Amino acid sequence: MTQEPIKVIDDKCVGCRLCVKACPFGAITVGESRVAVIDLTKCTLCGACVEACKFDAIEMAPKAAAALPDAFSDYKDVWVFAEQSEGRIQSVTYELLGEGRKLADSLKMKLCAVLLGSNTKPLSDELIRRGADKVYVADRPELEYFQDEPYAAVLTDMVRRHKPNIVLCGATTIGRSLISRVAVATNAGLTADCTGLAIDPETGNLLQTRPAFGGNIMATIITPNNRPQMATVRHKVMKESESDAARTGEVLAQTVAEALLKTRTRRLKMVPEQGATVSIAEANIIVSGGRGMQKPENFAVLAELAGVLGGAVGASRAAVDSDWIPYSHQVGQTGKTVCPKIYIACGISGQIQHLAGMSSSDVIVAINRDADAPIFKVATYGIVGDALKIVPMLTSAFRKALGK
Amino acid sequence: MHFVVCIKQVPDTTEVRIDPKTNTLMREGVASIINPFDVYAIEEGIRLRERVGGKVTVITMGPPQAEAALREAISMGADEAILVSDRAFAGSDTWATSYTLSMAIRKIGDASVIICGKQASDGDTAQVGPGIATHLDLPQITYVRRIDEIDDKRIVAERLLEDGHEVIESSVPCLLTVVKEINEPRLPSLRGKMAAKKAQITSWKAADLGADPARLGLNGSPTKVVKIFTPPPRGGGQMLAGEPEQVTARLVEVLKETVVGAAS
């Protein structure tokens, strides 16, 4: 009989149901026997019940003996994947360098950027100014823009050769598509969409905190027995590192074997979205509209405010499903998760799926006619009223205040 | 052509409520549904079959009750369904999950296009699709919003990016992950529902896959959850009352500095 990974000690269990409440996965029931029963097909061994139990009645099998620290001593440095598009470093990269610096310092390791592209000299200089001690560069015409297979193969090869301890990547379309392949190929642990990173001072493990269940719970995840530790990081959560022209660093040109550049996909065309000046993923300010905007024409009112504030226009699922605005503007569980400095929700009631996509914004302004709308529960500032009336007034007030 | 759609059963988050007193998830009586993104994947599989012929197989890794999700996929029009279920899979992270599903797809043998939803609504990782492609050494097109051309040699699809889209050609076999924009899923027909009731669901255990036990479940998962907690509630919210002129003036006052800062 194999040992159960988690079990209830029947003698100690009093059937209090604290564990039932604590379990995020609905895996525990207390039946007529008044003893907790764990459904192992639902259990993810997260340990929430073990902590919740006041009677020490739930035990988890001890984790496999930690690998000797010596086995990890080859794995050095904190790497940041430098995402570039059309010869420009994406701002999420600077956020990763800002955060990576703290991790590298607490591990007493170096902070390195990894840059794939073509004609990359100005970019690698900027990465050093932004805090990279070293920049590993794979510069080839074939790597000019992101392609899944060659990018994954080249990065995998570099990880195998240089053995980083940590690899960070933006939780973007490109970042998630790329690093998922690299993590599987290198047997690395990978945690998605982190909003908090820290080093455990005892073990040196990377503590990766991320929202789950649409932000209703937070989970802290580690990779105890494997290196490297990889994570994608949510855009706009971490602070960008400042550019400092006095900083120095090393640029390490990497040779790229021809075989790594092989690809079975080919980009035929790249089409930037028409009319959208700022994408919602990048925007510091988002003016978002829902069903309360009533008709597509009224989104022009939001666009005007967004224009004055230098922000982007977002939307709830209801507005997108009504074809008032394209899907690329949708915020929420089936759209994009955003984290701007200011999120202005206009005529959005605040369904749980919408909140999942925006509740980590710094400041939330909610304008809704229904005083009981759930959006007011997360709002920093709430206004009960008609968005169609208030938004234009807000636009002209900001125009005046900002001298525009 | 053989379209293999990977799906996941998840709790219906539209039914998840937060207990206002304890600020924890209330999951009692919450129904299980097909991950919303996977419904688009199933629909696209069926549409591709309607376009070029062949068959659609849906596959899920999960507990025995995930069979309900497979039957629902059959009611939409999928031809065959495989449940990959074993206690050895418990505690799988995305590495082990993508390995397990890739072994099942190897066993299927003749998959032309593997379709996944862009991510699952409970974990939100978007890692399993590309993970499967890597385990199988297949090309991938992620975040697909439209399939322009397809035959048994090549596929042309549009990938949605943050600031636009790109048109990508891939050789077949390959793996796609799809976004909501790609289609509008059909409702099950009466005939489909009847078929779903009668359908034979194939069931595979770990031993059937010829998988390396060290790569399954908890043992095969590099990541471990060490703590789960409820995020601190957003406090300090205030309602601004008064005439619209006053309210907007107050908002400008409190936000102006942040707006100016955000622009720099």
Side-chain angles (χ1 to χ4, degrees):
Chain A
M1 174 103 188
T2 53
Q3 193 192 1
E4 297 289 354
I6 186 163
K7 65 176 180 200
V8 178
I9 302 158
D10 294 358
D11 294 347
K12 290 188 178 173
C13 180
V14 300
C16 69
R17 302 174 63 86
L18 277 175
C19 53
V20 178
K21 286 207 183 103
C23 178
F25 304 96
I28 310 181
T29 48
V30 174
E32 285 179 8
S33 60
R34 297 196 49 80
V35 167
V37 177
I38 302 173
D39 181 349
L40 285 176
T41 60
K42 289 186 182 168
C43 176
T44 66
L45 302 174
C46 73
C49 54
V50 178
E51 264 184 46
C53 180
K54 294 199 170 134
F55 305 94
D56 297 326
I58 306 178
E59 269 185 7
M60 274 217 275
K63 299 220 168 92
L68 291 173
D70 280 359
F72 292 165
S73 63
D74 288 354
Y75 289 87
K76 287 200 178 71
D77 298 347
V78 176
W79 280 21
V80 165
F81 173 71
E83 185 173 330
Q84 58 88 14
S85 166
E86 319 232 317
R88 280 187 45 235
I89 302 281
Q90 302 296 298
S91 61
V92 68
T93 305
Y94 301 139
E95 296 166 19
L96 298 177
L97 285 171
E99 191 65 17
R101 168 52 62 200
K102 293 185 224 159
L103 303 176
D105 286 352
S106 60
L107 287 167
K108 301 194 171 56
M109 291 179 178
K110 289 201 159 39
L111 176 63
C112 310
V114 187
L115 177 62
L116 278 60
S118 178
N119 300 320
T120 53
K121 177 77 172 79
L123 303 188
S124 50
D125 292 347
E126 178 61 12
L127 290 167
I128 288 169
R129 289 195 289 270
R130 293 281 188 158
D133 300 315
K134 296 185 205 170
V135 184
Y136 293 97
V137 179
D139 191 314
R140 293 286 298 243
E142 295 91 338
L143 299 172
E144 184 190 353
Y145 49 83
F146 174 70
Q147 293 189 90
D148 303 68
E149 285 186 278
Y151 264 59
V154 169
L155 186 54
T156 298
D157 179 61
M158 286 162 83
V159 166
R160 285 189 182 135
R161 280 191 289 138
H162 300 291
K163 299 188 170 32
N165 194 289
I166 292 172
V167 182
L168 304 178
C169 193
T172 57
T173 300
I174 286 176
R176 292 192 194 219
S177 304
L178 167 68
I179 203 76
S180 303
R181 287 188 82 105
V182 177
V184 162
T186 58
N187 292 323
L190 173 59
T191 305
D193 206 18
C194 297
T195 56
L197 296 173
I199 301 293
D200 182 338
E202 278 174 33
T203 59
N205 284 329
L206 179 63
L207 300 168
Q208 305 159 106
T209 299
R210 67 180 303 261
F213 278 113
N216 290 311
I217 53 174
M218 304 293 289
T220 302
I221 294 168
I222 56 168
T223 299
N225 304 322
N226 293 56
R227 291 292 180 270
Q229 311 166 84
M230 298 189 178
T232 62
V233 178
R234 188 175 287 187
H235 202 1
K236 297 276 166 203
V237 177
M238 315 292 183
K239 204 167 172 302
E240 269 188 33
S241 60
E242 304 277 337
S243 184
D244 176 356
R247 283 195 51 90
T248 53
E250 256 181 291
V251 175
L252 301 158
Q254 305 293 297
T255 48
V256 177
E258 290 302 319
L260 301 174
L261 299 169
K262 175 184 88 105
T263 178
R264 290 166 287 184
T265 60
R266 198 158 60 96
R267 183 167 91 172
L268 304 179
K269 197 161 60 163
M270 160 77 194
V271 187
E273 190 184 347
Q274 294 296 313
T277 45
V278 194
S279 91
I280 55 173
E282 290 277 334
N284 282 321
I285 299 176
I286 296 174
V287 182
S288 212
R291 203 190 300 277
M293 297 310 293
Q294 295 172 16
K295 52 184 176 182
E297 295 76 45
N298 288 334
F299 270 78
V301 174
L302 303 183
E304 211 181 333
L305 177 57
V308 169
L309 299 178
V313 176
S316 72
R317 178 174 179 161
V320 172
D321 283 355
S322 308
D323 284 331
W324 294 351
I325 185 162
Y327 170 62
S328 57
H329 294 263
Q330 186 180 321
V331 173
Q333 192 151 62
T334 50
K336 289 200 179 92
T337 301
V338 296
C339 196
K341 303 259 181 298
I342 305 176
Y343 188 90
I344 306 179
C346 308
I348 292 177
S349 65
Q351 295 294 319
I352 196 167
Q353 294 86 351
H354 188 77
L355 300 185
M358 47 62 81
S359 61
S360 49
S361 307
D362 287 357
V363 173
I364 296 172
V365 177
I367 307 170
N368 202 298
R369 281 195 294 196
D370 175 8
D372 295 325
I375 189 81
F376 289 121
K377 291 224 164 62
V378 300
T380 323
Y381 303 105
I383 299 171
V384 179
D386 186 352
L388 293 176
K389 191 169 153 203
I390 291 167
V391 172
M393 294 177 66
L394 203 53
T395 306
S396 59
F398 266 116
R399 201 171 259 144
K400 224 160 105 193
L402 300 170
K404 285 193 183 175
Chain B
M1 294 177 75
H2 193 171
F3 304 101
V4 175
V5 183
C6 302
I7 70 174
K8 181 181 187 184
Q9 194 180 46
V10 298
D12 184 355
T13 48
T14 57
E15 289 186 24
V16 173
R17 295 281 176 272
I18 308 293
D19 184 327
K21 286 201 194 100
T22 60
N23 204 30
T24 52
L25 282 186
M26 293 162 61
R27 293 182 40 111
E28 271 160 60
V30 173
S32 292
I33 55 168
I34 300 176
N35 167 40
F37 292 106
D38 298 345
V39 179
Y40 301 99
I42 297 167
E43 174 67 29
E44 201 56 29
I46 296 168
R47 288 188 187 197
L48 291 175
R49 180 194 66 199
E50 289 166 352
R51 200 150 133 189
V52 298
K55 72 172 174 181
V56 177
T57 299
V58 278
I59 174 166
T60 192
M61 175 183 125
Q65 55 267 30
E67 191 188 312
L70 294 173
R71 290 201 186 273
E72 198 179 328
I74 290 176
S75 75
M76 286 175 67
D79 300 285
E80 283 172 27
I82 301 169
L83 174 67
V84 184
S85 185
D86 197 310
R87 279 172 61 165
F89 304 147
S92 292
D93 74 353
T94 58
W95 203 105
T97 302
S98 57
Y99 172 70
T100 307
L101 285 168
S102 74
M103 291 308 285
I105 294 165
R106 270 182 212 280
K107 188 173 162 78
I108 292 172
D110 62 346
S112 330
V113 179
I114 300 156
I115 312 173
C116 305
K118 74 157 181 166
Q119 65 195 47
S121 63
D122 54 352
D124 287 329
T125 72
Q127 287 168 192
V128 170
I132 294 171
T134 308
H135 280 297
L136 294 172
D137 188 25
L138 287 180
Q140 70 189 27
I141 312 177
T142 50
Y143 303 93
V144 171
R145 63 161 207 179
R146 197 181 133 93
I147 295 171
D148 293 325
E149 293 170 47
I150 181 165
D151 60 37
D152 56 4
K153 300 263 179 332
R154 67 191 271 279
I155 185 166
V156 178
E158 294 181 13
R159 157 150 61 187
L160 183 68
L161 299 170
E162 274 86 2
D163 50 2
H165 71 268
E166 53 187 6
V167 183
I168 297 176
E169 177 191 66
S170 174
S171 61
V172 168
C174 66
L175 180 138
L176 312 177
T177 73
V178 302
V179 298
K180 176 193 158 190
E181 203 182 359
I182 194 166
N183 58 43
E184 275 186 42
R186 69 195 67 193
L187 292 171
S189 64
L190 189 62
R191 219 177 103 198
K193 282 183 184 165
M194 299 289 286
K197 233 179 224 172
K198 281 187 283 186
Q200 279 286 341
I201 308 280
T202 306
S203 189
W204 287 344
K205 293 196 159 301
D208 298 318
L209 302 180
D212 173 1
R215 295 176 161 213
L216 296 177
L218 209 54
N219 290 334
S221 298
T223 63
K224 315 273 181 239
V225 178
V226 285
K227 193 169 117 190
I228 293 232
F229 58 101
T230 312
R234 291 183 69 99
Q238 51 174 298
M239 298 302 285
L240 305 180
E243 291 303 312
E245 289 78 9
Q246 297 170 310
V247 170
T248 47
R250 173 93 181 102
L251 258 189
V252 171
E253 193 187 316
V254 293
L255 295 181
K256 189 180 166 189
E257 204 175 308
T258 316
V259 172
V260 173
S264 64

